[in-house]
Amino acid sequence: MSNISIKDDEVDIVIGALEPDLTYFLEEWRPVFSRFHLIIVKDPDLKGELKIPEGFNLNIYTKSDIDRVVGSSPISFSGYSCRYFGYLMSRKKYIISIDDDCIPARDSKGGLIDAVAQHITNLTTPATPFFFNTLYDPYCEGADFVRGYPFSLRTGVDCGLSSGLWLNLADYDAPTQALKPENRNSRYVDAVLTVPAGTMMPLSGINIGFNSELVGPALVPAFRLAKEGKFRWETVEDIWSGMCVKVVCDHLKLGVKSGKPYVWRKERGSAIESLKKEWEGVKLMEEVIPFFQSIRFSEEAKTAEDCVAEIASLVKEQLGPLNPMFARAADTTVEWIKLWKRVRAQ
Amino acid sequence: MAGVTPLLKDELDIVIPTIRNLDFLEMWRPFFEPYHLIIVQDGDPSKVIKVPEGFDYELYNRNDINRILGPKASCISFKDSACRCFGYMVSKKKYIYTIDDDCFVAKDPTGKDINALEQHIKNLLSPSTPLFFNTLYDPYREGADFVRGYPFSLREGVPTAVSHGLWLNIPDYDAPTQLVKPRERNTRYVDAVMTIPKGTIFPMCGMNLGFNRDLIGPAMYFGLMGDGQPIGRYDDMWAGWCTKVICDHLNLGVKTGLPYIWHSKASNPFVNLKKEYKGIYWQEEIIPFFQAATLPTECTTVQQCYIELAKQVKTKLSAVDPYFTKLADAMVMWIEAWDELNPSGDESAKLVNGSAK
């Protein structure tokens, strides 16, 4: 592990509670989470009290908190989007977020993988988006830049986001999982790499870490399926916000890393049931790819907030005419920035 | 995906540059014996290189290269493993695998010997995905797939032109890094193959490399290195940068990752420093050149792309050093020689519709 010294109080762990009983989840994560402050956001649609074991340093937010802070707004914090409220309320530099149906994975020797420590390492070591290193993360112990890697690019850039992976149930969409119901991800790939600048990727919100000071506002809860659901294969909220974060990072010359850490994702739900739902949103996502791939920000866009504001107007202008869902996403984005600024000013 | 990987024994040549001996082939015998070898003997042509019994091969020394190419032989490096690209030119096969003579069979984490060639074949026969990054790496590998959010319209992938393998033990570091970390060994087995995204260039290492000669062969020119040249250890780099720009233009894929081989010999870092020295400065200009390089839509074959690149090298890099003028001329000469030795229409590397067989 690294010698990165970061104070534990620079980190918030934000958990969206989509199930009321978090006992098993938090007990499994206790060895890793207990040193940190937790923000637990209850899905506003969830009925019943949350069950949370003792001994954690945490804040809990529920529907009434969301209503109080946000007021009336087109932003929906329902389902997986509830965690964005946690990002909003956090005052820490680094935020780690893990789905409540994931527990720590084990490495090949059976040791518990500290996903939080790995995310922190990813976020506090440089990223290398401008040239591909074939030995993956050059800052990792036992690795370095390979022959032919330009020296001027070896200082790297700050890392804005760390996207982790999952063993057991991989983050597949419903058709893929339904076609291959037995398919489980058992391959542990011992690497972290920087996703190159100019390259898009699907961000899985299941297991992420980010530098809130650098990219916080860019994780935008703006785009959701008409029937965005309570299972990951019924959501696109993270896919949309992931594309926003990536283009923002590319413009601001920040890095996005992908790979370790792994978490163990439990079985939940039926992909086949999900297949029966409406897929209009998924088709729409196909149309946004060329849009994101060709986004160019103005020179005046110097912060994540600036960039997100420009995304909102570009979405309204270029995608709005194609479908009212996009016009709504643009409006929601504008509201999100206002909200972000207002909460930060308090 | 699942099932037996075809041997491709009549469709693949193994190209090996050597100056010493080919003893390393004994260890590779179980995996290499079915294949035809093309040995490119560098250095003193009067030396006799012994090829272990039982291998089917053709061997070319400098005299052969001079005889076959005539005046164009000057584009093939002497006293540098860059001469290996002569082997690509004379091959008549669809696929090439090239390996250095100090590379041995590695073991995977379970202790099993790695059949590097089989993995390269798997990589080359399955599509690449350069247009969108898949966070679970190669989606065509057994046990993997496209992740949620990966555009459905991009899931067919594109044909794979290059398979870039890695090395355990002695890592492929440049001289300054070798000097600072003489004891560092690559012990990390990363169980992944991935496509290098479009628009991203990378440092291609020629130690453990497979490619589809029909799709990209003419771009695999390893430049002017070694004897009489101001630079060395940039042969594979140069080929990799040209190849990637052309692959991006022609919508072909480049994969990197598995397979691993065991790299046994650490070259002398002081010797390497002398060879690389100019390259370390020059690459600061070369990289932006390749990153910004665009090819006109009229360039639809690899040869056309390559000639166009050579023109751009001459125009834009000659100011860095007159070496690049010579190199640009050599690039053109290489294509002329390639086309002479590979005359028929369907052997010139055209864009192939559909996936590789």
Side-chain angles (χ1 to χ4, degrees):
Chain A
M1 240 271 293
S2 64
N3 299 322
I4 311 289
S5 62
I6 111 168
K7 301 193 206 59
D8 292 349
D9 64 6
E10 290 183 87
V11 180
D12 261 339
I13 301 183
V14 172
I15 307 294
L18 271 72
E19 300 283 310
D21 190 349
L22 292 178
T23 314
Y24 178 68
F25 171 78
L26 285 172
E27 287 302 347
E28 289 294 313
W29 281 105
R30 190 185 285 275
V32 173
F33 282 4
S34 54
R35 352 187 332 217
F36 299 103
H37 176 250
L38 272 59
I39 292 179
I40 303 200
V41 186
K42 185 181 170 199
D43 175 5
D45 300 335
L46 192 62
K47 305 283 181 268
E49 290 297 309
L50 285 182
K51 267 191 78 184
I52 292 174
E54 295 286 321
F56 288 98
N57 170 16
L58 48 76
N59 281 79
I60 301 176
Y61 296 106
T62 64
K63 183 174 188 313
S64 53
D65 299 300
I66 297 174
D67 291 342
R68 177 178 47 82
V69 172
V70 176
S72 75
S73 156
I75 308 174
S76 170
F77 290 99
S78 145
Y80 284 105
S81 300
C82 65
R83 49 170 63 184
Y84 292 97
F85 187 76
Y87 306 159
L88 186 67
M89 300 308 286
S90 168
R91 286 294 176 274
K92 302 291 171 61
K93 180 169 180 180
Y94 301 104
I95 293 181
I96 315 283
S97 198
I98 295 178
D99 275 9
D100 66 354
D101 58 0
C102 297
I103 57 172
R106 306 237 155 219
D107 62 26
S108 52
K109 299 183 190 73
L112 191 141
I113 293 174
D114 186 341
V116 174
Q118 183 66 55
H119 275 302
I120 291 173
T121 302
N122 294 350
L123 291 169
T124 52
T125 50
T128 52
F130 303 117
F131 203 83
F132 192 86
N133 192 44
T134 49
L135 272 190
Y136 314 110
D137 183 359
Y139 303 99
C140 186
E141 217 177 288
D144 213 305
F145 290 98
V146 296
R147 173 176 58 98
Y149 202 103
F151 282 83
S152 61
L153 295 179
R154 295 192 189 198
T155 38
V157 297
D158 285 336
C159 180
L161 186 117
S162 161
S163 172
L165 294 171
W166 349 268
L167 290 172
N168 194 41
L169 205 65
D171 191 11
Y172 292 143
D173 49 57
T176 306
Q177 192 72 66
L179 261 178
K180 303 181 182 180
E182 305 304 314
N183 211 353
R184 296 290 175 272
N185 186 28
S186 53
R187 183 176 288 128
Y188 183 88
V189 179
D190 188 2
V192 179
L193 54 90
T194 300
V195 182
T199 300
M200 302 299 298
M201 63 179 265
L203 178 72
S204 166
I206 294 176
N207 169 21
I208 59 170
F210 60 95
N211 182 325
S212 187
E213 282 176 14
L214 289 178
V215 304
L219 280 98
V220 193
F223 189 82
R224 292 161 56 91
L225 295 177
K227 298 195 182 111
E228 185 113 341
K230 313 293 189 194
F231 296 103
R232 271 297 180 195
W233 46 52
E234 293 170 5
T235 66
V236 294
E237 52 85 11
D238 47 356
I239 309 298
W240 176 272
S241 77
M243 292 204 272
C244 292
V245 172
K246 187 61 169 57
V247 296
V248 170
C249 285
D250 285 353
H251 175 75
L252 298 178
K253 297 205 183 340
L254 302 170
V256 170
K257 292 187 184 176
S258 182
K260 299 190 299 186
Y262 281 85
V263 296
W264 182 270
R265 191 160 171 249
K266 284 162 30 212
E267 318 278 329
R268 202 164 79 85
S270 155
I272 295 177
E273 286 303 311
S274 298
L275 266 183
K276 297 178 189 163
K277 293 200 167 181
E278 179 208 302
W279 286 101
E280 193 203 320
V282 177
K283 282 191 275 152
L284 278 183
M285 290 303 285
E286 299 280 318
E287 289 169 48
V288 311
I289 309 294
F291 167 77
F292 277 103
Q293 282 172 331
S294 58
I295 278 191
R296 297 284 173 270
F297 293 102
S298 72
E299 273 177 31
E300 290 79 48
K302 298 237 180 353
T303 65
E305 265 176 46
D306 295 341
C307 292
V308 175
E310 289 190 14
I311 291 178
S313 41
L314 288 169
V315 168
K316 187 124 205 182
E317 188 188 300
Q318 293 175 21
L319 296 178
L322 299 178
N323 191 293
M325 279 178 82
F326 293 129
R328 252 194 318 273
D331 293 338
T332 308
T333 305
V334 172
E335 287 305 311
W336 170 255
I337 303 170
K338 281 193 202 147
L339 183 59
W340 186 273
K341 283 189 171 132
R342 176 162 55 83
V343 169
R344 289 259 163 315
Q346 285 160 3
Chain B
M1 270 181 294
V4 179
T5 310
L7 261 187
L8 301 183
K9 74 176 186 64
D10 296 320
E11 295 179 75
L12 185 147
D13 275 340
I14 303 180
V15 172
I16 306 168
T18 188
I19 201 159
R20 291 171 283 257
N21 63 64
L22 294 167
D23 296 348
F24 86 119
L25 280 177
E26 274 312 326
M27 200 189 183
W28 286 103
R29 191 183 284 278
F31 303 135
F32 285 5
E33 206 168 28
Y35 299 90
H36 180 70
L37 310 180
I38 297 181
I39 319 283
V40 183
Q41 178 185 338
D42 198 15
D44 182 1
S46 65
K47 180 168 175 190
V48 174
I49 302 275
K50 238 183 70 80
V51 182
E53 287 291 322
F55 284 100
D56 170 46
Y57 70 95
E58 45 194 292
L59 186 146
Y60 300 92
N61 61 28
R62 191 73 209 181
N63 295 338
D64 300 312
I65 295 173
N66 290 338
R67 177 178 45 85
I68 292 170
L69 292 184
K72 295 198 175 72
S74 59
C75 77
I76 303 294
S77 303
F78 184 54
K79 294 249 185 86
D80 194 286
S81 65
C83 65
R84 73 175 83 210
C85 61
F86 178 77
Y88 311 156
M89 193 193 275
V90 297
S91 166
K92 297 285 170 268
K93 304 286 173 53
K94 181 168 179 178
Y95 302 97
I96 299 278
Y97 174 52
T98 184
I99 183 171
D100 279 12
D101 63 6
D102 60 352
C103 293
F104 293 84
V105 177
K107 290 192 190 290
D108 71 18
T110 69
K112 185 165 161 250
D113 280 353
I114 298 170
N115 182 346
L117 188 47
E118 185 185 55
Q119 183 64 52
H120 278 295
I121 290 171
K122 280 190 181 144
N123 294 348
L124 289 168
L125 293 184
S126 56
S128 296
T129 52
L131 301 173
F132 210 85
F133 187 78
N134 192 46
T135 48
L136 270 191
Y137 314 110
D138 187 341
Y140 304 100
R141 266 187 95 192
E142 223 174 285
D145 213 307
F146 290 97
V147 297
R148 176 176 57 98
Y150 200 101
F152 288 91
S153 54
L154 296 178
R155 295 193 188 196
E156 247 183 53
V158 301
T160 302
V162 180
S163 166
H164 177 261
L166 296 173
W167 354 269
L168 291 171
N169 196 40
I170 309 287
D172 189 20
Y173 289 159
D174 50 57
T177 311
Q178 278 182 293
L179 285 165
V180 168
K181 296 181 166 188
R183 289 188 185 283
E184 187 150 276
R185 298 289 176 265
N186 186 23
T187 54
R188 182 176 288 116
Y189 184 90
V190 177
D191 190 1
V193 181
M194 66 192 77
T195 300
I196 300 181
K198 180 170 176 166
T200 302
I201 47 175
F202 76 113
M204 184 177 86
C205 174
M207 260 197 264
N208 172 21
L209 181 72
F211 61 93
N212 183 322
R213 194 175 160 278
D214 281 3
L215 286 181
I216 200 64
M220 284 288 183
Y221 172 49
F222 272 41
L224 290 173
M225 306 278 147
D227 207 46
Q229 306 298 344
I231 189 177
R233 284 172 53 88
Y234 273 85
D235 51 336
D236 41 6
M237 297 297 137
W238 185 263
W241 297 326
C242 294
T243 292
K244 188 59 167 57
V245 167
I246 294 175
C247 282
D248 286 353
H249 177 77
L250 295 178
N251 233 16
L252 301 170
V254 173
K255 292 185 180 177
T256 186
L258 302 183
Y260 283 89
I261 47 87
W262 180 268
H263 184 210
S264 66
K265 200 171 162 293
S267 38
N268 184 311
F270 295 99
V271 170
N272 289 343
L273 187 56
K274 270 208 207 138
K275 291 183 186 174
E276 290 173 15
Y277 170 77
K278 292 217 159 109
I280 287 175
Y281 290 93
W282 290 349
Q283 75 188 4
E284 297 297 332
E285 316 264 357
I286 297 172
I287 301 298
F289 164 77
F290 279 107
Q291 284 173 328
T294 53
L295 298 167
T297 39
E298 301 81 66
C299 293
T300 53
T301 68
V302 176
Q303 287 93 324
Q304 286 168 352
C305 292
Y306 203 76
I307 299 284
E308 173 62 31
L309 256 186
K311 277 199 208 116
Q312 294 182 19
V313 167
K314 196 167 214 166
T315 333
K316 300 193 180 149
L317 290 179
S318 296
V320 176
D321 193 276
Y323 166 75
F324 290 99
T325 311
K326 257 191 352 175
L327 180 56
D329 290 339
M331 287 167 75
V332 175
M333 196 183 297
W334 157 265
I335 295 292
E336 288 169 359
W338 181 286
D339 283 344
E340 267 174 38
L341 260 55
N342 300 285
S344 64
D346 60 13
E347 262 183 274
S348 76
K350 285 196 280 288
L351 182 56
V352 173
N353 287 326
S355 51
K357 287 194 288 267

